[in-house]
Amino acid sequence: MSISGISSGASQFASALFSKIDTRQQGYISEDDLTTAFSMVDKARGKSSNIDAAEVFKQFDSDSDGKVTKDEFSSAIENLASQLDQQLMSSRMGGPGGPGGAGGMPPPPPKDDAGFTKDQLSSQIEEIGSKDSKRTDLLNKVVNNFDDADSDGDGKVSFKEAMAYDKSTQASDSGTTSDTSNTNAQANSEAQLMMKILQLAHAYGTFGTDQNSAGVASLLSTQA
């Protein structure tokens, strides 16, 4: 996974997704359109997310005219992807959570990170038992929240997805207010928004590659 994996092709990706959300072919997305799209994903996943469609709409509506045009939508996605790329590079080069940071680098994913089904993960928990409590705890968390951890909706949770889910929940539970924590919280917020956008793309059939998902998961996994 290259550093440019998240932002690479962001413009084409955003254009294709915009066309799907603009169901009435008005040439713009309304707040209702975005709310409907987010609700569709939440319903399909069986759980509401903490991403507020109204707040996202305000962020994307750069001229505050109540409409998000294709240019505004593409620009917002490209900027978000660029910010995530920069944060990913920083974490890998020794930023917070990176090799030189307090969080350290997570273990590398297996070469064939195809993922496991819910039943397969449950079987692993039984096999491991009390031999590795940390791994068992993580697997239990993933199994109990399988749909949330399965960010690309393929019915399997990969190592990267498991790490991403674990770190994102840690960030949500953290009550610290230090500068580092605030930075990580912002990074996680942006990563969670990109995950939501990718879930939309998957739901609308515009999810052509898992590069973006892998990049976001890699970023989340490096946050303290």
Side-chain angles (χ1 to χ4, degrees):
M1 170 73 195
S2 63
I3 293 296
S4 61
I6 300 175
S7 59
S8 177
S11 178
Q12 182 178 1
F13 164 81
S15 179
L17 181 56
F18 177 89
S19 298
K20 294 291 186 178
I21 298 176
D22 180 20
T23 56
R24 291 172 287 182
Q25 298 182 339
Q26 303 173 109
Y28 65 86
I29 294 172
S30 67
E31 183 176 326
D32 286 343
D33 291 329
L34 193 62
T35 299
T36 298
F38 278 21
S39 295
M40 180 188 71
V41 172
D42 290 343
K43 184 177 181 180
R45 298 177 68 83
K47 185 177 182 180
S48 299
S49 70
N50 59 354
I51 302 295
D52 187 346
E55 289 301 319
V56 174
F57 185 84
K58 290 179 182 178
Q59 180 180 335
F60 283 17
D61 184 16
S62 58
D63 59 5
S64 302
D65 67 347
K67 301 176 181 178
V68 173
T69 64
K70 180 178 287 189
D71 286 343
E72 286 177 319
F73 189 78
S74 295
S75 178
I77 297 298
E78 289 175 30
N79 288 338
L80 178 61
S82 178
Q83 291 171 14
L84 289 172
D85 269 346
Q86 292 175 11
Q87 292 161 7
L88 178 59
M89 180 178 289
S90 174
S91 68
R92 289 182 174 180
M93 295 300 291
M105 201 67 163
K111 292 182 180 180
D112 180 16
D113 193 17
F116 298 96
T117 64
K118 188 174 183 179
D119 288 342
Q120 288 173 329
L121 291 175
S122 297
S123 295
Q124 290 184 28
I125 294 174
E126 294 179 3
E127 293 176 4
I128 297 170
S130 60
K131 297 178 183 177
D132 188 339
S133 59
K134 289 185 177 180
R135 185 180 176 189
T136 299
D137 289 344
L138 174 58
L139 289 176
N140 274 316
K141 180 188 291 186
V142 171
V143 168
N144 292 333
N145 302 276
F146 190 84
D147 289 339
D148 289 332
D150 180 19
S151 60
D152 62 5
D154 67 349
K156 295 182 179 180
V157 171
S158 66
F159 174 88
K160 289 180 179 179
E161 287 176 320
M163 292 299 295
Y165 181 74
D166 183 42
K167 293 301 180 182
S168 66
T169 54
Q170 287 180 19
S172 299
D173 294 339
S174 174
T176 59
T177 57
S178 66
D179 290 340
T180 298
S181 295
N182 288 336
T183 299
N184 287 338
Q186 179 182 358
N188 274 287
S189 177
E190 291 167 347
Q192 291 290 352
L193 175 54
M194 180 57 88
M195 282 287 194
K196 188 71 172 184
I197 296 299
L198 293 174
Q199 289 168 5
L200 277 176
H202 179 81
Y204 281 110
T206 58
F207 197 99
T209 174
D210 66 352
Q211 272 194 320
N212 289 306
S213 180
V216 174
S218 180
L219 173 67
L220 278 168
S221 71
T222 60
Q223 299 305 314

